[in-house]
Amino acid sequence: MNAQPLEQRQHYLNVSYGFKSWLLTTDHKRIAWLYLISVTFFFFVGGVFATLLRLELLTPQGDLVQAETYNKLFTMHGITMIFFFLIPSIPAVLGNFLVPMMIGARDLAFPRLNLASWYIYIIGGLFTLAAAAAGGVDTGWTFYTPYSSIYSNSNVALTVVGIFITGFSSILTGLNFVVTIHKMRAPGMTWFRLPLFIWAHYATSIIMILGTPVIAITLVLVALERLLHLGIFDPALGGDPLLFQHMFWFYSHPAVYIMILPAMGVESELITCFARKRAFGYSFIAASSVAIAVIGFLVWGHHMFVSGQSVYAGMVFSLLSFLVAIPSAIKVFNWTATLYKGSISLEAPMLYALGFIGLFTIGGLTGLFLATLGVDMHVHDTYFVIAHFHYIMVGGAVMGYMGGIHFWWPKMTGRLYPKALAKLAAITIFLGFNLTFFPQFVLGYLGMPRRYHVYPPEFQVLNVMSTAGASVLAVGYVLPLLYLIWSLRYGEVAGMNPWKATGLEWQTPSPPPTDNFEETPVVTREPYDYPAQKPQAIFPQGAAEHV
Amino acid sequence: MAARVDALFFFLVGVSAFFAALICIVIVAFVIKYRRRSDDEWPDEVHGGMWLEVMWTVIPLGLTLVIFFWGAKLYFVSRHAPPNSLEVTVVAKQWMWKVQHPEGASEINELHVPVGQPIKLMMISQDVIHDFAVPAFRLKQDVLPGRYTTVWFEATKPGEYHLFCDQYCGAQHSGMVGRIVVLPQPQYETWLNSNSVAAPAMTSGETLSRKLGCDTCHGARATGRAPSLVGLFGKPVKLQDGRWVTADESYLRESILNPQAQVVAGYQPIMPPFKGRISEEEMAALVGYIKSLSREEGELAQK
């Protein structure tokens, strides 16, 4: 296949060249690329840590790395993946690119603040990488006190400074989205005409703004106790170690929703497009995003059922945790119902979307086990928990991210990737993922504790299965990296709307011009109005008057 | 307890398998039945059903409430030891478990218990947070520095079971493992007799209280400078600032280490702090002694 030129027309990618034009850009689409490159880097760094962990766990003895090294590897795997990949991934890459385009705006409300967010993220990332280079940190991504604040001999202070700084990037991105969604919707884009991707990002932004300051404060307190011996969390200094856990999970549980809600938003776009249907129960899906954001702030204590928290507090948190499961269930049922009597096409993004429903369902259902007091006291802090949150974070959030990248790639680059290869990668990831993490549910039930460098030999068979799965998963993640880069130059030219989707972003050329739209669109219909396309040609949400 | 946790666990497995299979089968069926046959295929409109939305909100809600109550009940039972429990003290530190039996036997990374006898563990850490986990008993409880936590179990089958530290506690976290040895009652007695080198906790606590001078002010012949320790444990205590607290293990511990923190109403804050002067094991012995003073009083009252 020859390189087909896209250069006849001016668009956001060819409007200017050179490093400076990228590093000083205020175009939300270019900032999305800055984020895409950075989160991809951190994803593969986190992946290298994971690979080493899985290799070590191939045998019960500690034979590949020393205990101290192993502890640093799982700590840095968690920190890298959560703070530097999962939290920014969908919002800062796809959200940045799409929030203005989907609501018919020319940019985010504060374009320079948007660029500043990226720089803050990078500075935080550099601190954390410096901590890793200086010997790493071994507290676990949860930084439990007094281990982190007093006993650990690793680079705790440097790492928490990195995460503290990066938090501001989240807060500013959230602020930018909220203001943009409130003030910059195109004429006719009412709240109930917003794509569900926007609802999900709105809910996510609320959590980012309200939750992130708490983790920032918490980490500062850890640093203060560590550096100045202020008694906050260590009982030897008059502090309370459970206070840390309350503060940490007050952010870090909602942070799980920061990671999964945007993926749910992507899911709603993919399912509707590839089933050519309206979202079944649009208002229920939208409202459940907001419900998750609100109730999500009230369930943090379910991380502390065996911590020494009062029995009655445990009961309240358990009940609230069951309540937050309901909106997620509502979403799954509505996505499934959206397929009913649709016209279903199994393009690569749809494979990710369907995989998402399956894996997220298992992740959600196993969450019920952990919300159940009487069961959590058995499987807490075992591999059951590891399996559960990887089903949500990788099976949910990363599948959503991959599906979204494959869906909007033609919009971002103007080119399509090799479709057969993309489907192969999606299936490889799905199979590899299940082989990696399903055995860990069994390991957890059998009692294998998390964060163990050496383990009793009876757990080996399941660990070998898990490591085998991780190798398959690694292939599945490297494939897209290769063919997506290849497609930048050699991919087939996509055209304005290769999937015949209805969102506003599809009614402008691919890649879009710097200002997104030649003319501000006027929105005249609901999102996902696929049935109405029957008699006519393709027209997105507001394009009837313009195309 | 293990059987009761498993019953709930497998009930949840059943519910999960049902819903996962339901979603999976429906998706596969829809994907096959409604596969796109040509690119100009545009399906008809399907109107959402309010009754469907209500149904798939209410059914999961009802089901989760059942699971909640079932789980909460089990948890409640697991956190409240029966009154006839044998009390064993566990002190955790990086990276070992130290166990002190009331009869005087002590062990490291092992816990010998008789079968069919409820065992209540009083646990405390000397450094960071640890977690006492015995998967075979479906049991887990964090062990905190500066505060007692408790958990109980009753082993139903003789044998050896894994003891894990389940809360990450530093470099040798995965080395902080041990075993629970469950013995039939006669073998347990034998084991206990051959291993009780130290004096029983009650006696060693009494000796210690004399050595540290506690009984000078708190003892039977004391002259009202300090509250009596007899019958104190488990009772409500009025503090100088008007608050009421229960004299439980954590209160006794704090009042020994840092007496000025919660002074009993009507007394002068004259007791010196013992912080840094006694180990967690000695503390456990002292607390055990104070508790035994309440038991004796109870027995006297019964007579």
Side-chain angles (χ1 to χ4, degrees):
Chain A
M1 213 184 300
N2 286 324
Q4 291 160 293
L6 284 169
E7 273 71 43
Q8 295 93 334
R9 189 174 55 78
Q10 199 178 65
H11 51 75
Y12 81 103
L13 290 170
N14 66 7
V15 67
S16 54
Y17 292 96
F19 274 110
K20 212 175 139 191
S21 78
W22 282 87
L23 293 177
L24 296 179
T25 182
T26 52
D27 180 348
H28 67 101
K29 299 182 290 301
R30 285 190 162 206
I31 295 171
W33 274 97
L34 296 178
Y35 270 114
L36 175 62
I37 294 163
S38 352
V39 301
T40 305
F41 168 77
F42 280 108
F43 177 72
F44 282 96
V45 170
V48 169
F49 293 140
T51 308
L52 292 169
L53 291 172
R54 282 313 328 161
L55 283 176
E56 170 61 63
L57 293 172
L58 204 49
T59 60
Q61 307 82 25
D63 35 21
L64 181 71
V65 294
Q66 290 184 322
E68 287 84 350
T69 316
Y70 180 84
N71 297 341
K72 287 173 180 171
L73 285 173
F74 73 66
T75 301
M76 291 186 298
H77 168 69
I79 290 173
T80 316
M81 286 300 199
I82 288 171
F83 296 108
F84 296 96
F85 173 70
L86 283 167
I87 289 178
S89 63
I90 296 180
V93 178
L94 296 172
N96 235 324
F97 197 93
L98 293 163
V99 166
M101 300 199 67
M102 281 186 170
I103 63 172
R106 295 186 189 281
D107 206 320
L108 285 172
F110 308 112
R112 274 175 293 192
L113 201 61
N114 193 22
L115 181 65
S117 304
W118 181 73
Y119 275 100
I120 292 169
Y121 165 79
I122 289 297
I123 293 168
L126 289 177
F127 266 91
T128 307
L129 286 176
V137 60
D138 74 341
T139 58
W141 79 276
T142 45
F143 295 102
Y144 269 22
T145 53
Y147 184 72
S148 64
S149 60
I150 304 288
Y151 289 85
S152 170
N153 291 317
S154 58
N155 298 292
V156 179
L158 200 56
T159 310
V160 301
V161 168
I163 296 170
F164 175 83
I165 294 173
T166 302
F168 287 93
S169 156
S170 254
I171 296 171
L172 296 178
T173 300
L175 204 64
N176 224 336
F177 285 174
V178 168
V179 175
T180 306
I181 294 168
H182 269 276
K183 304 303 289 183
M184 296 178 69
R185 284 169 286 131
M189 180 59 92
T190 60
W191 282 90
F192 287 99
R193 283 179 181 167
L194 287 174
L196 289 164
F197 181 90
I198 300 294
W199 274 103
H201 274 73
Y202 186 80
T204 308
S205 304
I206 301 280
I207 307 176
M208 285 174 160
I209 296 169
L210 296 180
T212 316
V214 179
I215 188 79
I217 293 164
T218 313
L219 293 175
V220 167
L221 292 177
V222 169
L224 286 178
E225 180 165 285
R226 196 173 166 82
L227 302 173
L228 306 176
H229 283 266
L230 287 184
I232 300 157
F233 303 125
D234 182 15
L237 301 172
D240 179 357
L242 290 194
L243 175 65
F244 171 83
Q245 294 179 26
H246 282 291
M247 294 179 76
F248 179 81
W249 290 115
F250 183 82
Y251 165 78
S252 293
H253 193 78
V256 174
Y257 300 116
I258 293 182
M259 300 179 238
I260 194 66
L261 275 169
M264 291 170 159
V266 170
E267 184 69 12
S268 299
E269 303 298 313
L270 302 189
I271 295 278
T272 49
C273 172
F274 293 101
R276 291 190 171 164
K277 287 278 301 293
R278 276 181 207 281
F280 194 93
Y282 168 92
S283 47
F284 290 91
I285 298 181
S288 61
S289 284
V290 179
I292 287 173
V294 174
I295 308 173
F297 271 111
L298 307 174
V299 301
W300 78 89
H302 67 211
H303 295 269
M304 300 171 63
F305 289 159
V306 299
S307 70
Q309 166 181 263
S310 108
V311 170
Y312 301 99
M315 289 183 184
V316 172
F317 283 122
S318 170
L319 186 62
L320 288 165
S321 304
F322 281 112
L323 289 186
V324 82
I326 303 297
S328 296
I330 291 172
K331 281 179 190 271
V332 168
F333 290 129
N334 277 299
W335 290 323
T336 308
T338 302
L339 299 173
Y340 177 63
K341 290 195 173 174
S343 164
I344 299 169
S345 147
L346 294 179
E347 296 284 359
M350 185 60 157
L351 291 180
Y352 283 108
L354 296 176
F356 172 102
I357 297 184
L359 300 181
F360 177 74
T361 299
I362 294 178
L365 287 166
T366 51
L368 296 182
F369 287 63
L370 297 166
T372 308
L373 288 157
V375 172
D376 182 68
M377 66 192 190
H378 173 44
V379 290
H380 194 87
D381 276 331
T382 68
Y383 266 80
F384 193 94
V385 176
I386 310 275
H388 158 71
F389 73 66
H390 281 89
Y391 265 82
I392 301 285
M393 301 286 79
V394 185
V398 181
M399 291 295 271
Y401 175 70
M402 295 295 286
I405 291 285
H406 282 80
F407 185 55
W408 284 291
W409 189 256
K411 181 53 63 185
M412 295 173 77
T413 66
R415 291 182 189 274
L416 283 163
Y417 41 81
K419 288 184 175 179
L421 211 51
K423 290 180 194 176
L424 178 72
I427 293 168
T428 308
I429 290 175
F430 182 80
L431 296 178
F433 174 83
N434 280 297
L435 184 56
T436 310
F437 292 105
F438 201 84
Q440 298 186 2
F441 284 123
V442 185
L443 276 172
Y445 172 73
L446 295 175
M448 178 162 165
R450 62 191 293 195
R451 298 174 169 174
Y452 263 32
H453 171 233
V454 296
Y455 57 86
E458 68 255 36
F459 297 136
Q460 187 174 13
V461 174
L462 289 160
N463 271 296
V464 170
M465 286 168 71
S466 188
T467 300
S471 330
V472 177
L473 196 53
V475 172
Y477 285 135
V478 172
L479 262 180
L481 181 72
L482 300 179
Y483 65 69
L484 289 178
I485 291 174
W486 178 89
S487 79
L488 286 176
R489 192 171 164 82
Y490 302 105
E492 188 189 329
V493 172
M496 184 187 277
N497 191 356
W499 314 117
K500 299 187 180 171
T502 58
L504 286 183
E505 76 273 24
W506 299 106
Q507 76 168 73
T508 191
S510 312
T514 300
D515 284 340
N516 295 348
F517 302 95
E518 309 288 342
E519 208 180 321
T520 301
V522 176
V523 179
T524 55
R525 54 186 74 240
E526 289 171 38
Y528 320 118
D529 198 1
Y530 290 97
Q533 315 241 2
K534 198 169 192 170
Q536 298 112 325
I538 295 303
F539 49 52
Q541 226 183 327
E545 292 83 355
H546 294 273
V547 174
Chain B
M1 197 65 195
R4 295 172 70 187
V5 173
D6 276 1
L8 176 53
F9 184 88
F10 287 105
F11 174 75
L12 271 161
V13 170
V15 169
S16 302
F18 172 76
F19 279 102
L22 179 76
I23 295 287
C24 206
I25 289 167
V26 170
I27 287 179
V28 171
F30 284 174
V31 165
I32 293 171
K33 184 147 186 234
Y34 306 118
R35 67 187 178 278
R36 191 174 297 171
R37 289 167 174 86
S38 90
D39 196 33
D40 327 305
E41 193 179 71
W42 295 96
D44 289 322
E45 188 132 12
V46 173
H47 291 282
M50 186 50 109
W51 66 272
L52 262 178
E53 300 285 352
V54 171
M55 195 184 72
W56 62 45
T57 307
V58 171
I59 292 178
L61 188 64
L63 206 53
T64 52
L65 284 180
V66 171
I67 299 167
F68 163 73
F69 281 110
W70 189 346
K73 202 177 135 205
L74 276 183
Y75 179 71
F76 189 85
V77 173
S78 81
R79 305 290 126 169
H80 291 87
N84 62 333
S85 305
L86 192 65
E87 213 170 274
V88 176
T89 304
V90 174
V91 177
K93 58 173 284 193
Q94 287 177 327
W95 289 278
M96 63 167 77
W97 298 101
K98 295 193 283 189
V99 174
Q100 179 69 50
H101 291 260
E103 296 84 356
S106 66
E107 39 188 339
I108 285 178
N109 291 343
E110 281 192 358
L111 169 58
H112 287 73
V113 293
V115 72
Q117 158 74 45
I119 308 287
K120 181 185 177 188
L121 303 176
M122 284 295 306
M123 305 187 293
I124 195 157
S125 162
Q126 262 176 254
D127 38 49
V128 301
I129 301 176
H130 302 277
D131 182 283
F132 189 95
V134 186
F137 303 161
R138 312 289 184 261
L139 171 92
K140 194 182 316 283
Q141 173 61 49
D142 279 7
V143 182
L144 304 172
R147 202 177 115 188
Y148 290 105
T149 53
T150 65
V151 76
W152 76 278
F153 63 90
E154 182 181 329
T156 51
K157 230 170 72 185
E160 287 186 11
Y161 305 97
H162 282 300
L163 160 63
F164 293 130
C165 175
D166 262 16
Q167 184 62 266
Y168 174 68
C169 58
Q172 296 305 321
H173 169 54
S174 66
M176 193 167 162
V177 295
R179 52 185 194 141
I180 310 290
V181 183
V182 179
L183 300 171
Q185 192 70 39
Q187 275 100 310
Y188 175 71
E189 299 291 344
T190 320
W191 177 87
L192 204 57
N193 290 334
S194 58
N195 283 276
S196 296
V197 283
M202 198 200 302
T203 325
S204 66
E206 193 176 0
T207 319
L208 201 59
S209 87
R210 225 171 281 130
K211 197 179 101 192
L212 295 171
C214 307
D215 57 345
T216 320
C217 299
H218 291 284
R221 292 179 302 278
T223 51
R225 276 199 295 174
S228 163
L229 300 178
V230 177
L232 169 65
F233 181 74
K235 298 275 161 57
V237 173
K238 192 179 184 201
L239 302 181
Q240 232 171 20
D241 57 8
R243 280 185 303 138
W244 286 85
V245 294
T246 304
D248 57 6
E249 288 92 347
S250 291
Y251 169 78
L252 295 178
R253 182 178 182 280
E254 193 188 17
S255 294
I256 295 169
L257 293 180
N258 183 18
Q260 320 299 329
Q262 297 188 318
V263 179
V264 178
Y267 294 95
Q268 292 302 310
I270 51 173
M271 177 172 155
F274 283 82
K275 193 171 181 173
R277 292 175 55 190
I278 54 177
S279 69
E280 287 299 348
E281 283 90 341
E282 289 172 324
M283 175 62 77
L286 277 178
V287 170
Y289 169 62
I290 296 172
K291 285 161 84 170
S292 75
L293 293 176
S294 294
R295 274 198 298 274
E296 278 168 15
E297 188 211 33
E299 282 157 18
L300 283 174
Q302 274 178 359
K303 282 171 195 168

